[in-house]
Amino acid sequence: MAQMTMIQAIRDAMRVELERDPETLVFGEDVGKNGGVFRATEGLQEMYGEERVFDTPLAESGIGGLAVGLGLQGYRPIAEIQFFGFVLEVMDSIVNQASRMRFRSGGRFHSPITFRSPFGGGVKTPENHADSFEGYMLQTPGVKVVIPSNPYDAKGLLSSAIRDNDPVIFLEHLKLYRSIRTEVPEEAYTIPLGQANVVREGGDVTIVTYGAMVHVSLQAADEILKMKGIKAEVIDLRTISPIDIETIAASIQKTNRAIVVQEAQRTSGVAAEVIAQINEKALLHLEAPVIRVAPPDTVYPFAAVEDEWLPTPSFVVDAIIQVLEF
Amino acid sequence: MSLAKSILERQDYPIVSVCDQNGHIGNPELMPKLSDSQLVSIMRKMVFTRTWDQRAISLARQARMGLWATVGGQEASMIGSEAALRKDDFILGSYRDIPQIVWHGLPLYQSILYSRGHQKGFCIPEDVQALMPQIIIGAQIIQAAGIALGMKKRKSDNIVMSYIGEGGTSQGDFYEGLNFAGVFQVPMITMVQNNQYAISVPFHKQTAADTIAQKAVAAGITGVRVDGMDVLAVYKVVEQAAERARRGQGPTLIEALTYRYGPHTMAGDDPSRYRTKEEVEHWREKDPITRFRKYLGRKGLWSDRDEELMIEEAKQAITDALKQADATEKMTVAGLIDSMFEKTPPHLEEQKLRYITRGGK
């Protein structure tokens, strides 16, 4: 089996899906000849032609409208938003248009769109390139939101997202693009949306996380095991909307303690939603309040202090100790 | 004034007109080739639409309808443009553009349900190519570019007809839509119904440009201005733009100069706060139905009696539509939940359960 980075796995998912369904289209800024600013679409235009893989003018809102319109004509658009920090320009197409298409056409039309976009901090980007805006998407009914943490999941989840007949926001963490290699099958395969993955088993505390924070959490789990012999279970959400509360609740029944780790600012967002759902489904199994590990409620501090701002394993270790000593 | 071979090739944006205020054909070379029955059909639709507008205004006052953006005064730009389309062309409008969607095939009772927020109002029949009106100003123009690109990729000879007001041209999506349409050379027409006011803000406060039509230059597409109170001119311009689009000659921006006689909507707008009686009277002298009546009357195609009968027919159709709307099964929260995804996910099934166990459906 081939070893791939996440960017290669993402490209490979688009390749197999372009091959599989002739209605699938890839478009966005610089995705054609240039193969995308991170090379996620490299070679796809050569293989599938300019009719199916093409550049658009530099206008995110226009890209969103184009995706909605092409969806109405029976196409399956994969639209790239060059950086998720630019997503606010295309929010109307996501929140008011694609997500409502079934409702506002009585089921006649739908929006089988995948909005792909790189995001996430720790790689010294310019301003507005690294923000974790996924929380804004959680409050949008009618869209699913997926964030893979490794190359294998990225390919399987992206195939599922593309084949999904409803809009999916697929977020690719910049720091994970080339930092990890895993075995990735060359053929097509899917990983169901809405299913979390227990990436490390343990009986003492549950760590719920996603994206790049999965790796920070795994490192913390190693450290706390060495330090105190504490066995942490790490759950990679993979899909952050809808949240797989069943997997989280099952883990908490075993561990009775949980923390949630996210890269996005503290208030609202995924961690808050996870904790709200834990309250509804697993409160009586808890022996300590669930704690959030998250950066402060500030703007994203590009470059200068981002390494201090972002949660590190030591933040996670501290939180584990806090819930265990409660 | 000598006319170019195609009225769309002019660069100085003269106002294209065919039939003057007295019902005389001033530009016979631009007269669209319409049969007597087609001419009468256009008149019937305009009279129906005005009757419907008057009835909708009173129904909205009685809270028997939801939002109604009045259409009186704009019948020529609405009906003339829809009439020039083929049945399988796609219409995307703004909230005032209900008549075009209804004349394109949406049953009238569904437009009433739409105004009430009933989901059945959004259920566009399979043979009607349209979306219900767009509330977000400009969103329909970028979507139109996408639909038109899809048509081009499928090598169909259909076109997309999109509508927006002159106020909407200030929105970024208006320009993004035109620009995308120009870059991809897609079969799209955008008609700006310049009714002079965006609620209360007059045209000259939306733009420093003399015309909307000239904004086509920035997108590298064709622009044209037409007398929006002259149904024959509107028909002619749309027909030519549609032919060009079908031949692969790209998008057209049409500015139709028109006027809304009534308030913006029936939700409390008082137009006397921002425009004068004299101005309204000035535009009423250009009335699209009056001038077309004169033209058809002179040809012996339309009489006062015909008009009375048409108004009666319209009133009856509206009454029937209201009855059908009132008799439509009530919308349910469970049905709403099931309209979110292809397959309702577990968390929504759980949320749905509460509404079913409470006796709802």
Side-chain angles (χ1 to χ4, degrees):
Chain A
M1 209 181 287
Q3 290 277 322
M4 289 190 198
T5 61
M6 198 158 99
I7 196 89
Q8 289 168 331
I10 284 163
R11 178 197 166 280
D12 213 44
M14 285 188 274
R15 178 188 64 78
V16 297
E17 296 308 318
L18 281 161
E19 189 65 38
R20 196 176 157 273
D21 180 359
E23 309 291 7
T24 303
L25 306 174
V26 171
F27 54 87
E29 296 152 9
D30 305 293
V31 303
K33 198 171 182 181
N34 194 40
V37 292
F38 294 101
R39 308 289 175 258
T41 56
E42 188 159 39
L44 296 179
Q45 190 179 68
E46 273 174 33
M47 292 169 78
Y48 297 99
E50 216 173 323
E51 276 292 306
R52 297 185 58 202
V53 180
F54 55 93
D55 289 326
T56 64
L58 205 171
E60 285 79 17
S61 185
I63 291 169
L66 204 69
V68 171
L70 285 163
L72 293 175
Q73 284 291 298
Y75 286 100
R76 190 170 289 283
I78 307 171
E80 179 174 306
I81 304 302
Q82 197 161 65
F83 286 91
F84 204 54
F86 312 160
V87 75
L88 303 181
E89 302 293 324
V90 58
M91 282 294 264
D92 184 61
S93 284
I94 297 171
V95 178
N96 280 327
Q97 312 296 335
S99 71
R100 302 170 72 96
M101 192 54 76
R102 284 185 191 277
F103 167 77
R104 71 185 314 276
S105 68
R108 162 104 181 268
F109 299 113
H110 58 281
S111 292
I113 305 166
T114 303
F115 288 100
R116 280 186 48 245
S117 192
F119 83 113
V123 294
K124 306 277 184 261
T125 59
E127 194 175 10
N128 298 123
H129 285 63
D131 295 74
S132 290
F133 282 159
E134 66 273 18
Y136 297 149
M137 301 295 153
L138 291 194
Q139 215 189 340
T140 303
V143 304
K144 301 184 183 90
V145 187
V146 177
I147 303 184
S149 69
N150 62 72
Y152 178 84
D153 282 0
K155 182 171 172 184
L157 290 167
L158 182 52
S159 274
S160 290
I162 294 166
R163 292 182 201 182
D164 199 288
N165 285 328
D166 292 305
V168 179
I169 316 293
F170 190 89
L171 300 179
E172 305 162 4
H173 200 288
L174 285 163
K175 203 167 182 178
L176 302 180
Y177 263 163
R178 292 189 171 85
S179 58
I180 317 162
R181 281 176 185 273
T182 61
E183 290 199 332
V184 176
E186 281 183 34
E187 65 273 16
Y189 62 94
T190 57
I191 295 172
L193 305 185
Q195 287 186 11
N197 190 22
V198 179
V199 291
R200 179 187 177 115
E201 289 189 12
D204 297 328
V205 61
T206 300
I207 307 176
V208 181
T209 187
Y210 58 98
M213 287 298 129
V214 170
H215 304 282
V216 170
S217 299
L218 285 170
Q219 214 179 314
D222 275 343
E223 286 177 20
I224 197 85
L225 180 68
K226 272 180 219 151
M227 278 165 61
K228 293 181 179 274
I230 293 165
K231 296 185 182 70
E233 180 147 296
V234 180
I235 296 176
D236 177 359
L237 287 171
R238 300 198 292 196
T239 300
I240 59 159
S241 181
I243 285 165
D244 178 5
I245 188 61
E246 303 307 324
T247 297
I248 298 168
S251 176
I252 289 172
Q253 283 180 29
K254 185 172 65 176
T255 62
N256 310 118
R257 289 177 170 82
I259 63 167
V260 191
V261 185
Q262 70 176 22
E263 182 176 321
Q265 291 84 343
R266 188 175 187 81
T267 299
S268 201
V270 178
E273 180 57 30
V274 166
I275 293 169
Q277 292 197 30
I278 289 172
N279 278 343
E280 289 170 350
K281 303 274 173 161
L283 184 70
L284 297 179
H285 295 281
L286 287 172
E287 284 175 21
V290 184
I291 287 178
R292 281 177 288 190
V293 177
D297 291 321
T298 69
V299 297
Y300 187 87
F302 69 106
V305 293
E306 69 178 342
D307 292 339
E308 290 130 89
W309 188 86
L310 290 164
T312 58
S314 74
F315 282 90
V316 180
V317 165
D318 290 350
I320 292 170
I321 292 168
Q322 204 181 326
V323 293
L324 279 158
E325 290 181 353
F326 180 77
Chain B
M1 182 176 69
S2 76
L3 286 154
K5 197 169 73 185
S6 165
I7 47 173
L8 304 187
E9 283 165 17
R10 295 283 296 262
Q11 291 294 309
D12 52 348
Y13 310 108
I15 299 169
V16 174
S17 76
V18 174
C19 179
D20 68 21
Q21 283 172 228
N22 298 314
H24 291 292
I25 301 300
N27 288 314
E29 59 272 64
L30 291 180
M31 180 66 196
K33 290 182 183 59
L34 291 165
S35 67
D36 287 353
S37 70
Q38 284 175 308
L39 290 168
V40 170
S41 164
I42 286 170
M43 184 61 173
R44 286 172 57 84
K45 287 176 182 175
M46 289 209 292
V47 173
F48 187 110
T49 302
R50 182 157 300 179
T51 309
W52 167 228
D53 184 54
Q54 287 159 355
R55 187 83 178 99
I57 286 169
S58 70
L59 288 168
R61 284 198 181 112
Q62 300 159 35
R64 291 182 69 193
M65 263 183 63
L67 179 81
W68 180 250
T70 70
V71 300
Q74 296 184 216
E75 293 89 348
S77 63
M78 290 176 166
I79 282 128
S81 57
E82 194 282 327
L85 302 178
R86 290 194 335 212
K87 171 74 180 167
D88 51 0
D89 291 333
F90 209 110
I91 290 183
L92 287 176
S94 184
Y95 41 73
R96 205 176 305 282
D97 301 313
I98 302 272
Q100 297 96 306
I101 301 170
V102 167
W103 294 117
H104 213 50
L106 181 80
L108 190 59
Y109 86 96
Q110 284 187 261
S111 78
I112 298 167
L113 288 173
Y114 161 78
S115 83
R116 294 173 178 172
H118 192 301
Q119 201 159 11
K120 178 70 187 166
F122 289 97
C123 294
I124 298 149
E126 284 290 333
D127 66 336
V128 180
Q129 304 309 317
L131 281 186
M132 288 310 286
Q134 184 57 248
I135 299 293
I136 304 300
I137 304 295
Q140 72 273 31
I141 309 301
I142 49 174
Q143 289 170 16
I147 296 172
L149 180 59
M151 288 170 171
K152 185 180 177 183
K153 286 188 182 299
R154 296 219 182 276
K155 300 185 168 43
S156 97
D157 64 350
N158 288 126
I159 67 161
V160 182
M161 181 74 193
S162 53
Y163 296 93
I164 193 166
E166 87 287 349
T169 67
S170 301
Q171 195 76 259
D173 277 353
F174 166 74
Y175 175 72
E176 285 190 31
L178 295 192
N179 189 52
F180 274 54
V183 167
F184 295 119
Q185 283 296 293
V186 295
M188 165 173 134
I189 302 173
T190 295
M191 173 177 266
V192 178
Q193 294 183 77
N194 180 352
N195 67 11
Q196 315 302 322
Y197 291 87
I199 304 189
S200 67
V201 179
F203 176 49
H204 69 86
K205 287 189 178 172
Q206 293 295 339
T207 177
D210 291 333
T211 72
I212 298 292
Q214 74 200 66
K215 293 178 186 256
V217 175
I221 67 173
T222 303
V224 62
R225 235 173 8 146
V226 64
D227 180 351
M229 309 298 263
D230 173 357
V231 75
L232 294 171
V234 170
Y235 185 98
K236 181 69 182 177
V237 165
V238 174
E239 185 185 44
Q240 279 209 12
E243 278 172 19
R244 281 171 52 95
R246 287 186 218 287
R247 284 198 302 263
Q249 290 174 290
T252 301
L253 172 64
I254 299 170
E255 176 183 6
L257 296 160
T258 182
Y259 201 76
R260 130 171 85 76
Y261 296 157
H264 165 63
T265 69
M266 296 313 298
D269 178 45
D270 172 10
S272 71
R273 293 169 67 91
Y274 52 84
R275 58 188 201 190
T276 63
K277 269 187 196 152
E278 291 72 24
E279 184 185 290
V280 179
E281 277 318 303
H282 168 74
W283 279 93
R284 279 189 181 275
E285 283 166 18
K286 302 170 188 280
D287 187 67
I289 294 179
T290 306
R291 77 168 82 172
F292 201 49
R293 183 191 296 128
K294 285 178 184 167
Y295 167 72
L296 291 182
R298 205 169 287 123
K299 283 177 71 94
L301 293 175
W302 193 258
S303 65
D304 290 349
R305 180 69 189 143
D306 288 329
E307 191 144 336
E308 282 163 24
L309 287 171
M310 186 64 234
I311 290 168
E312 283 315 306
E313 191 184 319
K315 283 181 177 169
Q316 187 57 49
I318 295 155
T319 302
D320 293 347
L322 264 175
K323 275 187 195 148
Q324 199 178 348
D326 291 342
T328 302
E329 197 178 350
K330 200 172 169 292
M331 182 180 159
T332 66
V333 175
L336 169 70
I337 288 172
D338 282 333
S339 73
M340 294 312 300
F341 293 100
E342 183 178 33
K343 185 177 182 311
T344 302
H347 73 285
L348 271 176
E349 284 293 353
E350 194 181 314
Q351 291 171 29
K352 193 168 81 183
L353 217 54
R354 288 169 219 168
Y355 293 92
I356 294 171
T357 53
R358 279 181 187 175
K361 270 191 275 187

